[in-house]
Amino acid sequence: MRRFAATSAVAVTLAAGALTVVPAQARAQDQAPDRPSGMANCTATACHFDIPPGTYDVKVLLGGEDAARTAIGGESRRALLPETATAAGERVARSFTVDVRTPEGEPTGPDGSPGLDLTIGGPAPALAGIRVTPARHARQIILVGDSTVCDQPGEPYSGWGQQLPRYLRKGLSVANHADSGDSTVSYLADQRLWGTVRSRIHPGDLVLVQLAHNDKTTDEATYRANLQTLVAGVRERGGRPVLVTPVVRRWFNADGTLNNGTALLVNGLGVDHPAVVRSVAAAEDVPLIDLTAKTKALVESLGVEGSKALYLYDEKRDNTHTSAHGATVYAGLVRDGLVDQHLVPGGAVRAGLSPAAGSASATDGGRNGG
């Protein structure tokens, strides 16, 4: 993305629905005086901030003279703020927390561009103000997974982890370390994957693990042991592991059900991956988000035709990887699981697209708080 000059003399802040200018020397003591912040770093469609890797709070002021609908994405095609409506002349403040890292997308992919890059989208975008500051008390949600979870680098692909940030409010950041093509075996063996994740876990962080799609030749004992290793490693660092069963493949029986090994992730050795995940979660007293059960029920309810939009069937004849719409819906199911398991408070998440909705966008209405 295009780069923009950093501002060092002033910081733009949002207050009482208007932009105010605060002298640099009046900033918080621990904020670097050259920390870029404000509209000088933005065009109508993008912003760039020259900041080092870390966790940052972003506060935006949305709206303009005309009615607007604005969404914000960033880094490697992450959805950071859902489409938000503002009436003509209205200004609405929203905040979110973002993980800035290198590589900025998949851990085994290219580094990407340094700093924080944001995209200003939506059918009628209007950004009136922005401020980026280091996050003081953010809690990480770290994702360990495969291509159905990861920050997919190119359209039309999207992992549910790529869409999860849009559902979270300020104070929760998603550090997506999922990687395409990885099994429990390869993830544990690669220093760029588990070696990196383990070093970045802080006490209190949630670590969501969804690995199964590529364990096609992993025997049950090894698969179970690998899950236990991941759980133990998270706990050793003071984090809280959460096991997630894999999303289903869209593979229907003649009777309209998904009751077959292909759809429900039973590998060639007869290993029932979701069943093993459930068993390990129970034995290790680990919270479980049963995404297999949730996605099976949803796909079956939509049927052969209606479920195509969740996957890349029309674009790629792909019944495993999700579209942006499908990833958004599945991320909503993960959000619901986090709340239902009391892993995050209900006030820390945003409402959004319901699982049965046909729309491909989630809206935040404009008046439901930060």
Side-chain angles (χ1 to χ4, degrees), residues 101-112 145 150-151 153 176-182 186-187 189-194 196:
R101 62 180 183 271
T102 303
E104 68 181 23
E106 291 184 273
T108 60
D111 284 351
C150 76
D151 287 348
N176 192 349
H177 290 268
D179 195 69
S180 293
D182 279 286
S186 62
Y187 201 97
D190 195 326
Q191 183 62 30
R192 297 169 296 177
L193 301 173
W194 179 235
T196 297

Side-chain angles (χ1 to χ4, degrees), residues 256-268:
T257 67
L258 300 180
N259 296 320
N260 59 78
T262 300
L264 299 181
L265 282 296
V266 178
N267 74 8

Side-chain angles (χ1 to χ4, degrees), residues 159-176:
W160 62 254
Q162 206 161 16
Q163 302 295 330
L164 185 60
R166 72 190 303 159
Y167 290 118
L168 305 179
R169 299 185 188 276
K170 176 184 173 183
L172 285 174
S173 72
V174 174
N176 192 349

